[in-house]
């Protein structure tokens, strides 16, 4: 446990972290990769370049300082990050390295303001927080390895099928190369895919939601091809998967992870809201619902640019014909003439308060949503304005956590 003096010292740094947090985390990653370039095999290079990882770490450090006297308040965040760490292969021996360079970055950015007392306090605090992560992650590795069909880090899977779902999304059906069993997973969880791209000196790891229910002989991921757009570079891994990976190829896969999962024991109506490739965990939730609890009312809402970018529409509509408790609604921002002629959508434009509340009807439902960050912010604001309780709002970011 931390002493009262250490807690007060850490809390005194909260205003400084609010101002200089990003500068500290940028300096931290510069130092980390300079001294330990092998860690570039774990981190997402694109998130580094875009500043997303630095922002996520700055938020985490700030939250730790703010709640240092009641660390149990950040335990859900610890577990969320620990899921990602386990799926990436982060190990206990990485934490002293991180601590060394984080403290050095604080000292370098703050200069004389980083007194010996402050650095000692942060060293103590980091040790406590790191121990929490190490303990949680050790349990996750053990559980992952010991479950039926499980494994600890990465395992070879063969691409059994590759299916184009829309103009931008392709599904990959993955079966274990060793022919053994595969671990069960909760609807909404993801796996990590480790790729070695020819010509690149480091491996790339990306996390993709599982897009089908558990209990099958395969895992399915449905990947959006991220082409270059308005100054944003193309997604190296997604383009490589779309263009280079063929049926029969072998990929290194982590066991399923993640805490954005459908609460199967809940009795409230379910509302699944997705934008773009945020559809993928929702399809897993939907398919699980159809197989286990189709008497529970479920509203499925998906927003896409237009019909050509709308994946798995036929599958969802077929389920709606089979299950009277399933209501489906499509929202197209820029419908094509073909969409209009076929009456292929229910709303043109963006999801807004009047439309969403009229479609759902019952604000005492359990809401799950996923998609681009601006989309999630808009949905979150609608739900808050409607008066949906916080405990009924569930969402996940693709990539480092941000703020809605």
């Amino acid at each position: 446990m931390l002493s009262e003096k250490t807690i007060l010292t850490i809390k005194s740094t909260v205003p400084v972290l609010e101002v200089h947090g990003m500068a500290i985390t940028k300096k931290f990653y510069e130092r980390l990769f300079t001294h330990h370039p092998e860690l570039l095999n774990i981190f997402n290079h694109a998130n580094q370049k875009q500043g997303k990882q630095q922002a996520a770490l700055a938020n985490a450090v700030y939250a730790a300082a703010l709640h240092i006297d009641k660390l149990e308040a950040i335990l859900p965040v610890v577990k969320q990050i620990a899921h990602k760490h386990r799926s990436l292969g982060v190990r206990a021996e990485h934490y002293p390295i991180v601590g060394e360079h984080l403290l050095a970055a604080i000292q370098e950015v703050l200069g004389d303001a980083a007194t010996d007392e402050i650095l000692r306090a942060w060293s103590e605090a980091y040790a406590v927080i790191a121990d929490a992560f190490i303990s949680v992650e050790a349990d996750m590795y053990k559980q992952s390895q010991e479950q039926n069909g499980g494994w600890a880090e990465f395992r070879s899977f063969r691409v059994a099928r590759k299916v184009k779902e829309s103009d931008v999304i392709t599904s990959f059906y993955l079966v274990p190369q060793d022919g053994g069993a595969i671990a069960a997973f909760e609807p909404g969880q993801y796996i990590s895919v480790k790729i070695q791209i020819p010509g690149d000196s480091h491996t790339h790891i990306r996390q993709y939601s599982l897009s089908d229910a558990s209990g099958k002989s395969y895992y399915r991921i449905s990947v959006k091809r991220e082409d270059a757009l308005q100054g944003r570079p193309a997604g190296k891994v997604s383009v490589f998967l779309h263009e280079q990976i063929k049926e029969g190829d072998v990929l290194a896969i982590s066991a399923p992870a993640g805490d954005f999962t459908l609460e199967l024991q809940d009795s409230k109506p379910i509302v699944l809201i997705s934008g773009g490739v945020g559809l993928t965990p929702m399809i897993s939730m939907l398919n699980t619902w159809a197989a286990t609890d189709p008497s529970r009312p479920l509203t499925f809402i998906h927003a896409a640019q237009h019909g050509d970018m709308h994946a798995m529409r036929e599958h969802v509509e077929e389920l709606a014909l089979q299950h009277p408790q399933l209501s489906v609604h499509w929202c197209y921002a820029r419908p094509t003439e073909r969409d209009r002629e076929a009456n292929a959508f229910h709303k043109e434009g963006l999801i807004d308060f009047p439309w969403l509340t009229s479609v759902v009807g019952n604000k005492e439902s359990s809401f799950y949503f996923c998609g681009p960050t601006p989309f999630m912010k808009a949905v979150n604001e609608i739900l808050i304005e409607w008066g949906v309780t916080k405990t009924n709002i569930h969402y996940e970011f693709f990539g480092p956590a941000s703020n809605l």
Side-chain angles (χ1 to χ4, degrees):
M1 296 296 292
L2 296 174
S3 68
E4 187 64 26
K5 181 180 179 182
T6 297
I7 288 171
L8 291 174
T9 302
I10 294 293
K11 278 194 165 291
S12 74
T13 67
V14 168
V16 178
L17 292 172
E18 194 168 13
V19 175
H20 298 289
M22 276 292 287
I24 290 169
T25 55
K26 285 179 180 177
K27 180 58 64 177
F28 159 73
Y29 282 115
E30 288 174 13
R31 291 183 53 90
L32 183 68
F33 297 139
T34 298
H35 290 84
H36 294 276
E38 73 278 6
L39 293 180
L40 285 166
N41 290 310
I42 294 178
F43 284 86
N44 184 316
H45 304 179
N47 288 336
Q48 287 290 324
K49 290 178 181 177
Q50 296 169 26
K52 292 181 179 179
Q53 191 68 55
Q54 294 89 332
L57 179 58
N59 286 338
V61 172
Y62 176 80
L66 191 64
H67 300 290
I68 197 67
D69 55 340
K70 47 183 185 299
L71 286 176
E72 67 277 4
I74 64 169
L75 190 59
V77 179
V78 170
K79 289 182 177 178
Q80 182 185 65
I81 297 172
H83 272 286
K84 295 202 172 188
H85 283 180
R86 200 276 295 156
S87 77
L88 291 169
V90 172
R91 286 293 190 174
E93 55 265 29
H94 293 130
Y95 281 91
I97 297 171
V98 169
E100 174 191 347
H101 292 288
L102 183 58
L103 288 171
I106 291 173
Q107 187 172 26
E108 190 170 343
V109 171
L110 299 186
D112 293 340
T115 64
D116 289 344
E117 182 181 18
I118 285 174
L119 292 174
R120 276 196 303 270
W122 265 107
S123 179
E124 290 178 33
Y126 177 80
V128 169
I129 295 168
D131 283 347
F133 273 103
I134 291 168
S135 175
V136 170
E137 288 163 18
D139 288 342
M140 287 182 176
Y141 276 111
K142 183 179 179 182
Q143 180 182 356
S144 175
Q145 187 167 19
E146 293 181 353
Q147 66 182 316
N148 182 42
W151 65 100
E153 294 191 8
F154 286 88
R155 181 179 173 189
S156 295
F157 277 66
R158 177 174 55 84
V159 179
R161 291 174 61 203
K162 182 179 178 181
V163 178
K164 185 176 180 179
E165 305 283 7
S166 74
D167 282 358
V168 293
I169 295 175
T170 293
S171 287
F172 298 81
Y173 290 73
L174 309 171
V175 297
Q177 191 178 28
D178 59 19
I182 57 175
F185 61 90
E186 297 181 60
Q189 289 193 304
Y190 54 79
I191 57 175
S192 288
V193 179
K194 182 160 64 173
I195 298 284
Q196 180 68 65
I197 298 177
D200 280 14
S201 56
H202 299 285
T203 56
H204 299 268
I205 302 178
R206 296 294 185 272
Q207 292 161 330
Y208 295 108
S209 296
L210 292 156
S211 61
D212 204 347
S214 185
K216 310 289 178 68
S217 62
Y218 58 82
Y219 291 145
R220 184 177 72 181
I221 57 173
S222 302
V223 180
K224 180 186 176 185
R225 177 187 172 120
E226 297 288 354
D227 292 309
L229 178 66
Q230 295 177 345
R232 185 194 69 194
K236 268 193 174 184
V237 175
S238 70
V239 170
F240 184 80
L241 288 170
H242 274 248
E243 292 187 350
Q244 303 299 325
I245 295 300
K246 308 178 297 298
E247 292 181 354
D249 287 344
V250 175
L251 300 172
I253 303 298
S254 75
D259 63 348
F260 174 65
T261 57
L262 181 65
E263 295 179 7
L264 295 172
Q265 307 308 316
D266 189 1
S267 61
K268 293 187 288 293
I270 304 166
V271 182
L272 306 180
I273 310 172
S274 55
V277 76
L279 173 83
T280 53
M282 302 307 175
I283 292 291
S284 178
M285 293 181 183
L286 175 67
N287 289 356
T288 303
W289 165 88
T292 61
D293 193 13
S295 62
R296 185 176 167 191
L298 190 150
T299 302
F300 192 96
I301 299 168
H302 181 62
Q305 290 296 313
H306 47 74
D308 294 338
M309 296 180 72
H310 185 171
M312 302 179 185
R313 172 181 168 162
E314 293 79 8
H315 168 71
V316 177
E317 290 181 339
E318 285 175 8
L319 285 179
L321 292 175
Q322 298 168 21
H323 301 290
Q325 292 285 50
L326 173 59
S327 172
V328 299
H329 306 272
W330 313 134
C331 182
Y332 289 175
R334 295 184 290 105
T336 64
E337 285 306 312
R338 187 167 57 254
D339 293 331
R340 296 181 192 282
E341 290 170 3
N343 292 317
F345 58 95
H346 302 89
K347 183 185 188 308
E348 181 173 352
L350 304 179
I351 292 175
D352 56 28
F353 182 95
W355 184 77
L356 182 61
T357 54
S358 67
V359 163
V360 175
N362 183 3
K363 70 176 182 181
E364 302 303 325
S365 303
S366 289
F367 292 84
Y368 299 81
F369 57 96
C370 189
T373 301
F375 168 85
M376 295 208 298
K377 285 183 176 179
V379 171
N380 192 55
E381 287 172 3
I382 291 170
L383 298 182
I384 291 172
E385 182 182 352
W386 196 14
V388 177
T389 59
K390 188 176 181 180
T391 55
N392 286 340
I393 297 176
H394 314 274
Y395 57 86
E396 179 168 68
F397 291 94
F398 285 162
S402 183
N403 293 310
L404 293 187

